[in-house]
Amino acid sequence: MAQRNLSAAPHLYKIARRPVDSAPLETPHTLAIIAGNGVYPQAMARAARAAGVARLVVAAFENETDPVLATLVDEVEWLRVGQLGKLLGILKKSGATHAVMSGQIHPKNLFDLRPDLKALVVLARLKRRNAESIFSAIADEMKTIGVELLPATTYMEQHLAPAGLIAGPKLKPRDEEDLHYGFHIAKESSRMDIGQTVVVKNGTVLAVEAFEGTNAAIARGGELGRKDALMVKVSKPNQDFRFDVPVIGPLTLEAARAAKLRAIGVEAGKTLLLEREKLTALAAEHRIAIFGLTSS
């Protein structure tokens, strides 16, 4: 995202909470993918196929979802961000009892949001219109038509970051200290729903992500740090992984290279690593460490 996970459009969907490592008890015959931009929806489609899902139906967003996704699924229906009534119609028509969200939505499309009548009715019922309440209300609408929203990590467990050095050069002790410091700051920032990424250097916070998104925060922190700063990306406390999952991929690595960062810290077990082989190769080429962090 300067984008947010589709899971963040502005955080559009929600049901009862599930742990990040949960999975459906049995593989559904039909899975609906609510797809934003980037390669995440393609990775989800491949992973779902590998897990035995027979039919994949995609709700795709105009000017967001990559049309290439159509080559990996059985059916694609297009809509605008904000067309809740059409989304529910697509899900009902698909016959799917389960859906999963993957991908991202650009902030400019969130500000250009043109809600349809169904979305306006749902929004009017809310006392507070924040990310959590909006997602909860829309996912409740999905539930009324018999569609359960699964964690966005479903079928993607092999893409979750492990603890320790993942790729790139070995870190110096001071770098690891900075990453753990950044982890603490990012957890506090995300707890207040400000942002989930920070850039630090020598025990100083250089940038905190807000609505501008991860890559813009990286650029700002890199400019202030000049070189050898470090970024950390974490999940929110009690994050609902059905619609908001920390993700890094080659584009994040390229943003870190442009900002002359030394390392990228991610929360182990709760961050998806997309295009892992390419990510590893770029980390080695640009000598940027990727390191999995835990709260312990």
Side-chain angles (χ1 to χ4, degrees):
M1 304 190 223
Q3 310 164 15
R4 299 293 300 272
N5 279 339
L6 208 194
S7 0
H11 302 45
L12 283 175
Y13 311 78
K14 190 173 180 179
I15 313 176
R17 294 189 179 275
R18 286 172 172 260
V20 64
D21 58 353
S22 67
L25 294 178
E26 37 180 84
T27 303
H29 176 272
T30 300
L31 178 71
I33 300 176
I34 303 169
N37 61 46
V39 299
Y40 186 1
Q42 296 172 42
M44 172 61 72
R46 293 187 181 97
R49 288 287 196 208
V53 175
R55 183 166 174 264
L56 293 172
V57 177
V58 169
F61 292 94
E62 297 171 4
N63 302 316
E64 291 286 356
T65 310
D66 189 338
V68 169
L69 183 60
T71 65
L72 302 174
V73 302
D74 300 286
E75 184 179 338
V76 177
E77 297 279 354
W78 292 89
L79 68 159
R80 292 192 328 269
V81 176
Q83 290 185 300
L84 177 58
K86 186 171 183 178
L87 173 63
L88 294 174
I90 291 169
L91 295 176
K92 190 171 184 179
K93 175 186 172 185
S94 74
T97 55
H98 297 83
V100 65
M101 299 180 62
S102 61
Q104 304 168 324
I105 294 292
H106 288 278
K108 65 179 178 65
N109 286 334
L110 304 185
F111 279 118
D112 291 339
L113 189 68
R114 290 175 289 165
D116 63 10
L117 180 60
K118 182 65 174 179
L120 287 171
V121 169
V122 169
L123 289 171
R125 292 200 299 258
L126 300 179
K127 293 181 179 179
R128 296 180 63 187
R129 295 185 183 182
N130 57 24
E132 295 294 316
S133 65
I134 292 172
F135 269 111
S136 291
I138 297 179
D140 284 346
E141 294 294 327
M142 292 171 61
K143 193 173 182 180
T144 64
I145 63 169
V147 179
E148 179 183 1
L149 191 62
L150 299 172
T153 54
T154 303
Y155 311 121
M156 298 287 287
E157 290 81 3
Q158 71 273 23
H159 296 274
L160 290 171
L165 185 65
I166 297 167
K170 184 178 180 180
L171 291 170
K172 296 177 181 178
R174 179 55 200 259
D175 291 332
E176 288 196 36
E177 289 176 13
D178 263 358
L179 286 179
H180 285 288
Y181 171 67
F183 183 91
H184 170 74
I185 297 298
K187 277 294 185 182
E188 285 299 303
S189 174
S190 64
R191 180 180 63 82
M192 295 184 284
D193 205 23
I194 296 171
Q196 295 168 241
T197 300
V198 300
V199 180
V200 299
K201 182 179 179 180
N202 296 333
T204 300
V205 178
L206 300 177
V208 177
E209 176 192 18
F211 192 75
E212 81 277 24
T214 301
N215 290 351
I218 291 172
R220 184 157 43 88
E223 183 179 358
L224 292 170
R226 301 198 177 186
K227 66 175 184 177
D228 293 338
L230 306 90
M231 68 159 279
V232 178
K233 189 177 186 74
V234 302
S235 67
K236 298 176 184 178
N238 300 315
Q239 184 155 341
D240 192 322
F241 285 86
R242 289 170 307 168
F243 53 75
D244 200 357
V245 180
V247 174
I248 69 164
L251 291 179
T252 312
L253 207 293
E254 290 293 353
R257 178 199 59 77
K260 300 180 181 179
L261 300 191
R262 182 195 296 273
I264 296 172
V266 298
E267 185 167 6
K270 296 184 178 181
T271 305
L272 286 172
L273 305 176
L274 296 183
E275 298 184 276
R276 180 73 173 269
E277 291 185 7
K278 186 175 180 180
L279 193 65
T280 300
L282 287 172
E285 178 184 349
H286 300 315
R287 296 197 56 76
I288 297 174
I290 303 176
F291 196 89
L293 300 159
T294 64
S295 56
S296 57

